[in-house]
Amino acid sequence: MAEEAVLGFLQTNDQISDSHQFAASVGVGHTELENVIKSLKGFEIVDAQEITRQSWVLTEEGKKYMVNGSPEALFFSAIPPEGISRNTLKEKLGIETFDIGSKAAAKNKWIAFDKDLVKRKVESVEDEVKNLLTRINNGEVVSDQVINDLKRRKLIVKQTWKGYLLKRGPKYVSKRKKAATDLTREHIVSGDWKNLEFKEYNVNAEARAIQVGYLHSLLEVREEIQNIFLQMGFEEMPTNNFVESSFWNFDALFQPQQHPARDSHDTFFLETADRTKDLPEDYLKNVKRVHEFGGYGSKGYGYDWKRDEAEKNLLRTHTTAVSTRMLYALAQQETFTPKRYYSIDRVFRNEAVDRTHLAEFHQIEGVICDRGLTLGDLIGVLEDFFSRLGMSKLRFKPAYNPYTEPSMEIFSYHDGLQKWVEVGNSGMFRPEMLLPMGLPEDVNVIAWGLSLERPTMILYGISNIRDLFGPKVDFDLIKNNPICRLGI
Ligand code: PHE
């Protein structure tokens, strides 16, 4: 409707000088008209020039005066010819009208106070303020003096408004054909399509962003690493038990019961379901013996091994507990078969949380069990594994684990950081760990472990682990991270 009005008016007139007045004259809101103007301008059907104007509009109080009369006029009219007592008048008018009205009426010399009495000084008065407000409300121009007075009394305020001056544009038409956006069956059947104007496709318009679910960066990297293990012929271990007994987490790994890692400062122990009763008794005896007296060429630790300590339940501190269960199961088979096992799952340590540490993380673990393996095999498999992760410059540093000998920390040269960073821990499981299980004497096990978080943070340039994992995880980061491609 607004569009027809504008185009129709411009057919017989040169211009619409003020879009606000025009909107009012045809009875549409200015916002609606403005939308029409913008569309017509876009197609060069009209020429629209922005204009700004300032005008005076009545405040709420100003509107009230315009309708009911000014307080001074109300004050005057309320005084009978014989006069009236202040208090009666105050009651009649209300305190506000009385106060404002008395001052203004006195200033106008309309009234006089005689002790307690209020009297008229003139016969009749003209409500000039009401008249002026009505004129301003009608858009009439009044003198600066008047404007200043009314402004001081807060009856009017200045309003700036934006409007348009409209003229016919280069592509002016008196009636615009609505461009069709789709060619429909009906168009074809009726033959309408012959007369229709079709809207052009805007091939530069940006497509709407698609809302889909996103894989967490840790899951993406986990999958890549899983693929590497599978390519290297590894089988996945069942790691679906966060709660473990101290026996499988520590004792079976030849970790003595006084070892500091077995302290509650480092490990989370369970309060409820605090003990595991069901342990493999024969094997447990062997473990006790090797801790106390050694055997298999070892002297043992020479202390009094306590079953109670081994029964304590905890949140596993490493997935090596699962590897140990797997090796024990392997040892129980009639004939030994070589195995390559891997796992990637959560472990828990009672650590102070900071930018790079949480009390839980994901451990990646690889284990190879075969006859006659050597340290050279371990180094070789590590070089293969890490080069597939994109880390081909490795260094090894002698280290200590209670369950491996020799043990090696793994360092990788980080080109971005220009330094060697520790990326994992590894070793050959000790005879004190393997032989009590019943594995053949010539069977060796090489193994390594690393965190999933460390390579993920390096890969995605994340410096605070809390952005990656936990309640403060950064959703934008998860959403916008590129697909993980290792080894490129
Ligand atoms: N369990 C070790 C750790 O938690 C990793 C490891 C696994 C080390 C296997 C050597 C052999 O860091």
Side-chain angles (χ1 to χ4, degrees):
M1 195 196 64
E3 177 167 324
E4 278 149 35
V6 170
L7 294 178
F9 189 87
L10 287 178
Q11 198 173 12
T12 44
N13 299 276
D14 277 346
Q15 64 173 38
I16 294 170
S17 56
D18 177 342
S19 58
H20 280 272
Q21 271 175 14
F22 186 77
S25 72
V26 297
V28 297
H30 191 260
T31 324
E32 190 193 331
L33 183 67
E34 197 171 12
N35 288 335
V36 167
I37 293 171
K38 281 182 184 156
S39 160
L40 291 171
K41 187 183 173 193
F43 288 97
E44 296 183 24
I45 295 168
V46 301
D47 196 36
Q49 223 176 300
E50 256 184 41
I51 46 174
T52 54
R53 252 188 222 154
Q54 290 185 330
S55 64
W56 294 97
V57 292
L58 306 198
T59 60
E60 282 309 308
E61 201 175 3
K63 284 183 199 154
K64 207 167 82 191
Y65 290 9
M66 183 182 80
V67 176
N68 304 330
S70 67
E72 52 267 41
L74 296 177
F75 190 93
F76 183 85
S77 329
I79 306 169
E82 68 277 12
I84 187 169
S85 91
R86 262 179 208 257
N87 285 343
T88 321
L89 191 55
K90 209 180 263 183
E91 254 168 52
K92 221 169 146 179
L93 291 173
I95 184 104
E96 203 185 302
T97 309
F98 180 90
D99 277 353
I100 303 174
S102 66
K103 275 184 207 118
K107 198 172 149 213
N108 290 350
K109 303 203 167 67
W110 291 351
I111 54 154
F113 291 100
D114 184 3
K115 289 190 191 130
D116 188 37
L117 217 56
V118 191
K119 287 181 172 168
R120 291 183 175 191
K121 257 173 112 177
V122 288
E123 282 284 298
S124 64
V125 296
E126 187 68 38
D127 193 350
E128 194 60 22
V129 168
K130 177 179 163 135
N131 294 343
L132 287 167
L133 289 172
T134 311
R135 283 173 57 197
I136 290 170
N137 197 47
N138 290 339
E140 283 180 42
V141 179
V142 296
S143 75
D144 287 352
Q145 169 74 45
V146 166
I147 293 289
N148 284 338
D149 283 350
L150 296 178
K151 197 172 77 176
R152 208 174 38 239
R153 286 183 73 173
K154 296 199 172 64
L155 301 179
I156 54 171
V157 282
K158 198 189 263 177
Q159 197 184 52
T160 308
W161 58 259
K162 199 180 77 181
Y164 298 91
L165 167 78
L166 302 173
K167 288 186 178 153
R168 287 188 288 268
K171 297 190 181 153
Y172 172 81
V173 280
S174 60
K175 194 166 165 48
R176 179 155 69 145
K177 259 196 206 167
K178 188 123 180 75
T181 47
D182 285 310
L183 179 63
T184 64
R185 179 180 177 276
E186 285 71 28
H187 290 149
I188 296 171
V189 171
S190 67
D192 266 3
W193 61 272
K194 285 181 212 154
N195 309 318
L196 283 175
E197 253 174 53
F198 286 94
K199 200 169 179 177
E200 275 182 43
Y201 282 117
N202 179 2
V203 290
N204 295 317
E206 262 190 53
R208 208 185 290 166
I210 302 169
Q211 290 296 321
V212 291
Y214 297 87
L215 277 186
H216 191 283
S217 311
L218 281 176
L219 292 180
E220 295 200 36
V221 179
R222 186 179 74 171
E223 191 179 338
E224 286 294 314
I225 292 174
Q226 225 156 6
N227 289 340
I228 290 175
F229 274 120
L230 295 174
Q231 282 158 13
M232 290 173 70
F234 283 69
E235 285 171 54
E236 189 171 10
M237 295 186 265
T239 45
N240 53 343
N241 62 310
F242 292 169
V243 174
E244 187 55 277
S245 63
S246 293
F247 179 78
W248 287 111
N249 195 83
F250 293 127
D251 295 284
L253 282 108
F254 197 52
Q255 188 144 340
Q257 294 188 327
Q258 308 75 19
H259 193 281
R262 300 184 65 155
D263 196 278
S264 61
H265 292 297
D266 287 312
T267 299
F268 294 112
F269 287 94
L270 266 69
E271 278 178 7
T272 317
D274 63 337
R275 293 288 191 283
T276 292
K277 296 290 178 197
D278 190 14
L279 295 169
E281 295 303 329
D282 289 347
Y283 174 44
L284 183 132
K285 277 190 206 117
N286 294 348
V287 170
K288 175 179 163 74
R289 195 177 333 111
V290 79
H291 277 245
E292 292 184 339
F293 311 111
Y296 324 102
S298 168
K299 287 201 256 177
Y301 292 118
Y303 71 99
D304 193 7
W305 187 88
K306 294 201 175 60
R307 184 190 175 109
D308 179 60
E309 197 57 41
E311 283 179 356
K312 285 185 184 167
N313 279 337
L314 44 77
L315 293 180
R316 68 172 176 227
T317 63
H318 51 187
T319 45
T320 319
V322 178
S323 304
T324 308
R325 282 175 177 271
M326 295 299 285
L327 292 172
Y328 173 72
L330 204 59
Q332 306 317 299
Q333 291 179 354
E334 293 260 315
T335 47
F336 170 76
T337 22
K339 285 285 179 190
R340 292 176 162 229
Y341 288 132
Y342 82 91
S343 66
I344 307 174
D345 210 340
R346 232 180 257 197
V347 298
F348 308 84
R349 293 183 192 176
N350 196 355
E351 297 218 45
V353 171
D354 63 25
R355 295 181 69 78
T356 51
H357 292 89
L358 292 178
E360 59 185 295
F361 64 97
H362 293 79
Q363 193 161 56
I364 304 167
E365 183 149 327
V367 180
I368 304 179
C369 180
D370 203 349
R371 296 184 196 274
L373 291 173
T374 64
L375 192 66
D377 291 307
L378 177 59
I379 292 172
V381 78
L382 289 176
E383 280 177 346
D384 185 7
F385 174 79
F386 280 96
S387 71
R388 290 169 193 253
L389 282 175
M391 306 179 197
S392 37
K393 267 186 250 168
L394 293 189
R395 267 187 190 171
F396 304 101
K397 181 175 156 190
Y400 172 77
N401 295 309
Y403 40 93
T404 52
E405 181 58 33
S407 311
M408 303 188 300
E409 275 170 5
I410 309 156
F411 288 79
S412 162
Y413 190 76
H414 191 278
D415 288 328
L417 302 174
Q418 302 235 322
K419 63 174 183 184
W420 291 92
V421 282
E422 197 199 323
V423 290
N425 179 11
S426 68
M428 299 187 68
F429 285 141
R430 296 183 78 105
E432 291 96 322
M433 170 180 170
L434 301 178
L435 296 177
M437 294 176 174
L439 281 169
E441 273 197 38
D442 58 346
V443 166
N444 302 109
V445 179
I446 55 180
W448 71 99
L450 61 149
S451 87
L452 176 63
E453 282 75 359
R454 174 73 73 94
T456 305
M457 287 171 75
I458 294 176
L459 213 61
Y460 287 117
I462 299 165
S463 58
N464 190 339
I465 196 161
R466 284 166 288 197
D467 290 339
L468 183 66
F469 196 79
K472 291 186 186 154
V473 69
D474 181 348
F475 280 127
D476 281 339
L477 191 123
I478 306 290
K479 221 165 143 174
N480 299 324
N481 264 348
I483 297 169
C484 158
R485 304 291 295 275
L486 297 177
I488 296 177

